Amino acid sequence: MNNFVYDIPVRVYFGENQLSNLGPELARFGKRVLLTYGGGSIKKSGLYDAVVAEIKAAGLELFELSGIAPNPHIASVRRGAEICKEEHIDVLLAVGGGSTLDATKFMAAGACVDFDPWLFLSENAPIRDALPIVTILTLSATGSEMDSGGVISNPETKDKLGRLAPPMLPKVSFLDPTNTYTVSPYQTACGAADIMSHIIEVYFTTEQDLQLLDGVMELLMRTVIKYTPIAMREPDNYEARANLMWTSSWAINGFINGGKRHEWTCHPVEHELSAIYDITHGLGLAILTPRWMEYTLSEATAPKFYQFGVNVFGIDPALPQMEVAKKSIEMLGDFFFNTLGLNRTLSEIGIDERNFPLMAEKACNGGEIRGFVTLTPKDVEHIYRMCL
């Protein structure tokens, strides 16, 4: 196994009624706060009023940027960075799901440079500093509340690009499962698919690592499989929402990575779908992942699928290895498409094959994806067609 460094200095307030800590935490970083959020859902739920009340009670100055879209656009990042500079913002408070959190991270970094924030993504411009970020999570999916990364779309170039940088790690995150009670069954399902994909991207590897980490990942996946249907049926089930929220964070905060160095596969392939067609990220991952599994299954990779099937889905270990492997893929598809009710194919959501060659080239970044199985653009194009 490889050596690794693990450093995740995010202070987390988990559970109900923690907002009384918000004002003092923000005040640690200064007086001028930029509140960022998406549409009107936090106002309908009452969360907006509660947040504003805590900010004002702490004697802080409040500035706002709303309208951050799902698959957040670079335009919001640019505007947020401008506000930070113009108003001399001290700390950014992101309230929402992964889209708001991701965009806010790049605003915080953009406020510290004199060039277009898109260069962070398009040209890998250095991210050496960022304003402090505090988050209040309202959707269990991306894990952005406990990682240093984000993904931003540029509608002009049809690109959706991601980046990790330590300065963008939130300083404090508030995780109250009750803030996810109003999340629709569809968005809950898409969030679950995203969480599962974050784990699968790391779990399926040919690299040797700590057995402990495989066990943790298998437990995280079983947790998603158990609690997502409950949360969809009973939106205010605290146990279900709490388990999904904490699983979302630990699926991508770096702990399960260990020393593994392989590339992720399904995420860059899906990013091309949501860049062009603006679909929900988790839905795209749900459609792609079982087909990617089918394409990469072979005698060489079957042992990992066997482990997945036995330890995650409880398939009889006495069955032949390849039979278990194939059944594990079928059971994941059944979870996504039947249990969660997500669309099974790209055709169902109006996507045809006309852009597949270009999307495959961009997903491979002009070369190959060196993941669990190395994929060329032709391989990726074939996987897209399997999804039709």
Side-chain angles (χ1 to χ4, degrees):
M1 61 173 287
N2 300 315
N3 295 343
F4 62 90
V5 174
Y6 182 65
D7 184 22
I8 187 74
V10 181
R11 178 177 295 173
V12 175
Y13 288 88
F14 193 98
E16 294 185 80
N17 304 317
Q18 297 272 29
L19 277 187
S20 60
N21 298 290
L22 178 62
E25 286 292 353
L26 290 169
R28 291 198 295 126
F29 306 108
K31 286 282 189 181
R32 300 169 75 83
V33 181
L34 176 60
L35 170 63
T36 62
Y37 54 98
S41 61
I42 68 167
K43 292 187 175 180
K44 293 176 183 176
S45 69
L47 179 58
Y48 172 87
D49 289 338
V51 167
V52 169
E54 292 296 332
I55 292 172
K56 291 183 176 179
L60 306 178
E61 292 186 68
L62 177 62
F63 302 83
E64 296 187 26
L65 175 62
S66 62
I68 298 171
N71 295 319
H73 295 171
I74 188 60
S76 290
V77 174
R78 288 169 175 152
R79 181 59 189 140
E82 288 173 2
I83 293 173
C84 288
K85 293 175 182 177
E86 292 168 357
E87 303 295 346
H88 306 289
I89 297 298
D90 296 311
V91 56
L92 292 89
L93 174 60
V95 182
S99 298
T100 295
L101 274 57
D102 283 8
T104 303
K105 290 175 181 179
F106 286 99
M107 293 175 200
C112 299
V113 297
D114 58 4
F115 53 78
D116 182 5
W118 181 244
L119 297 181
F120 290 140
L121 298 141
S122 63
E123 297 187 15
N124 209 37
I127 300 178
R128 297 191 177 95
D129 199 8
L131 295 178
I133 302 159
V134 176
T135 80
I136 299 175
L137 187 65
T138 63
L139 174 66
S140 302
T142 69
S144 297
E145 66 278 2
M146 276 185 81
D147 74 18
S148 64
V151 181
I152 303 297
S153 294
N154 187 332
E156 295 178 3
T157 63
K158 299 294 184 184
D159 286 318
K160 182 176 181 179
L161 303 174
R163 177 83 184 272
L164 293 163
M168 298 195 302
L169 189 70
K171 302 295 186 184
V172 185
S173 287
F174 288 80
L175 276 60
D176 181 350
T178 66
N179 287 333
T180 65
Y181 283 179
T182 57
V183 176
S184 69
Y186 170 73
Q187 288 296 343
T188 300
C190 289
D194 199 3
I195 298 168
M196 287 290 287
S197 183
H198 291 158
I199 304 164
I200 286 168
E201 297 276 25
V202 181
Y203 182 79
F204 281 87
T205 178
T206 57
E207 298 179 74
Q208 295 300 310
D209 210 332
L210 295 167
Q211 184 178 357
L212 160 73
L213 296 179
D214 270 9
V216 170
M217 286 185 274
E218 288 158 2
L219 175 58
L220 292 173
M221 288 187 279
R222 292 198 303 270
T223 300
V224 175
I225 291 165
K226 175 180 178 179
Y227 283 107
T228 306
I230 297 173
M232 292 172 69
R233 291 193 308 268
E234 306 169 28
D236 58 353
N237 186 305
Y238 188 86
E239 180 184 4
R241 293 295 192 180
N243 273 277
L244 290 174
M245 181 169 272
W246 203 221
T247 300
S248 171
S249 299
W250 285 90
I252 197 174
N253 69 6
F255 175 74
I256 63 175
N257 291 7
K260 292 179 281 292
R261 297 173 181 169
H262 71 281
E263 293 179 337
W264 286 19
T265 301
C266 289
H267 269 69
V269 173
E270 195 290 321
H271 285 165
E272 298 309 315
L273 283 171
S274 46
I276 293 178
Y277 299 103
D278 201 28
I279 65 171
T280 303
H281 177 55
L283 173 62
L285 289 170
I287 294 171
L288 280 166
T289 302
R291 280 59 183 239
W292 167 78
M293 288 181 163
E294 291 172 14
Y295 192 76
T296 58
L297 176 60
S298 67
E299 292 295 337
T301 61
K304 195 66 183 184
F305 286 100
Y306 174 88
Q307 178 186 342
F308 175 64
V310 170
N311 294 342
V312 176
F313 287 107
I315 300 172
D316 184 355
L319 294 173
Q321 184 178 84
M322 187 58 75
E323 183 178 343
V324 173
K326 290 180 179 178
K327 188 170 180 60
S328 73
I329 300 171
E330 292 173 5
M331 292 186 74
L332 181 67
D334 181 71
F335 174 66
F336 286 153
F337 307 133
N338 295 326
T339 303
L340 302 188
L342 294 171
N343 294 102
R344 186 180 297 268
T345 67
L346 295 177
S347 300
E348 291 175 33
I349 54 175
I351 296 176
D352 59 29
E353 63 183 75
R354 75 185 73 178
N355 290 309
F356 287 175
L358 173 63
M359 291 161 57
E361 286 286 344
K362 293 177 77 170
C364 293
N365 198 26
E368 301 173 327
I369 301 175
R370 293 188 174 93
F372 178 51
V373 172
T374 297
L375 299 180
T376 66
K378 288 296 182 185
D379 295 318
V380 174
E381 195 174 336
H382 186 88
I383 293 170
Y384 282 138
R385 289 200 169 89
M386 291 172 68
C387 297
L388 287 171

